[in-house]
Amino acid sequence: KKVERNYIAINNSQLTLGLVGRISEQKNPKLFNQIAFHFPQYKFIWIGDGELRHEITAPNIEVTGWFFNSIEVYKHLNRIDVILQTSLWEGLPIALLEGLAFHKPIVATDVIGNKDIVDHRINGYLFTKIEELDEYFTLLEQAEAREKMGKNAYLSCKNKFDSQKNFYDLINIYEN
């Protein structure tokens, strides 16, 4: 609830993709950079910073640096049309859950953690090769497609990842 209060609908003239996280090996900045080079017509935003920042070299990537509060992060998250998660591995990626709460379609690597959140072709897309992104990004250029997937993203967040609901469901399991 705290997160979704900060959501503001936007309509960029240029498709803008991005992620929130530390620029580290786990987040695979090399792949993020390759994707940005492959799609020079789009804008990319990396919300965060990290030890592998030098691997971000594509001219269409903006690295915001670190912020000291979540409100600043949410301001930048509102600037993104689509969450692009390039991780090599994940647990339960909180940044993706925030993206869902912000009505953002997600395009993510097909790895554990990401595929626990992304319902392929419902609230986003899972990929293993950059070439798959040609189709997905072309579809996501359409505001209507982003809006539909974004609505699905929000609903999946609300239905599957509500901490209060999940807590009470867990209590029921233990009590029965």
Side-chain angles (χ1 to χ4, degrees):
K1 302 254 184 239
K2 175 186 153 196
V3 173
E4 71 185 65
R5 279 195 306 251
N6 295 282
Y7 165 68
I8 299 168
I10 53 120
N11 193 10
N12 290 317
S13 59
Q14 178 184 29
L15 186 65
T16 303
L17 304 104
L19 65 82
V20 179
R22 196 173 92 243
I23 306 174
S24 64
E25 180 184 350
Q26 175 197 7
K27 300 298 183 190
N28 202 355
K30 282 184 182 176
L31 178 58
F32 190 86
N33 198 59
Q34 288 172 339
I35 292 168
F37 271 119
H38 191 81
F39 296 96
Q41 70 273 35
Y42 303 138
K43 181 175 183 169
F44 294 81
I45 301 173
W46 192 301
I47 303 169
D49 210 332
E51 64 272 13
L52 296 181
R53 185 177 186 155
H54 64 276
E55 293 185 359
I56 303 295
T57 59
N60 53 338
I61 300 176
E62 172 190 343
V63 177
T64 66
W66 293 120
F67 297 104
F68 295 105
N69 64 62
S70 56
I71 300 303
E72 290 300 315
V73 172
Y74 298 151
K75 285 179 187 175
H76 287 281
L77 189 55
N78 276 314
R79 297 173 50 213
I80 295 171
D81 297 308
V82 176
I83 302 295
L84 174 62
Q85 178 82 299
T86 55
S87 300
L88 294 168
W89 70 88
E90 284 291 346
L92 182 66
I94 300 301
L96 289 189
L97 295 178
E98 290 175 333
L100 295 177
F102 270 61
H103 304 244
K104 307 294 181 185
I106 296 172
V107 176
T109 48
D110 190 7
V111 298
I112 291 174
N114 290 346
K115 61 184 170 183
D116 296 323
I117 292 175
V118 177
D119 293 320
H120 189 67
R121 295 191 182 274
I122 305 294
N123 65 2
Y125 300 102
L126 295 167
F127 73 98
T128 54
K129 295 182 225 144
I130 289 177
E131 295 74 26
E132 296 170 76
L133 299 176
D134 291 324
E135 174 194 351
Y136 304 153
F137 289 175
T138 299
L139 292 168
L140 290 168
E141 285 178 3
Q142 307 305 312
E144 307 82 40
R146 290 193 309 274
E147 188 176 314
K148 181 179 178 185
M149 277 197 157
K151 183 178 180 183
N152 291 339
Y154 175 75
L155 291 173
S156 69
C157 182
K158 197 172 173 182
N159 295 331
K160 292 182 185 176
F161 300 103
D162 180 293
S163 60
Q164 289 290 343
K165 179 186 173 301
N166 290 346
F167 178 74
Y168 289 113
D169 288 350
L170 190 58
I171 287 174
N172 273 337
I173 290 169
Y174 280 114
E175 287 178 345
N176 296 320

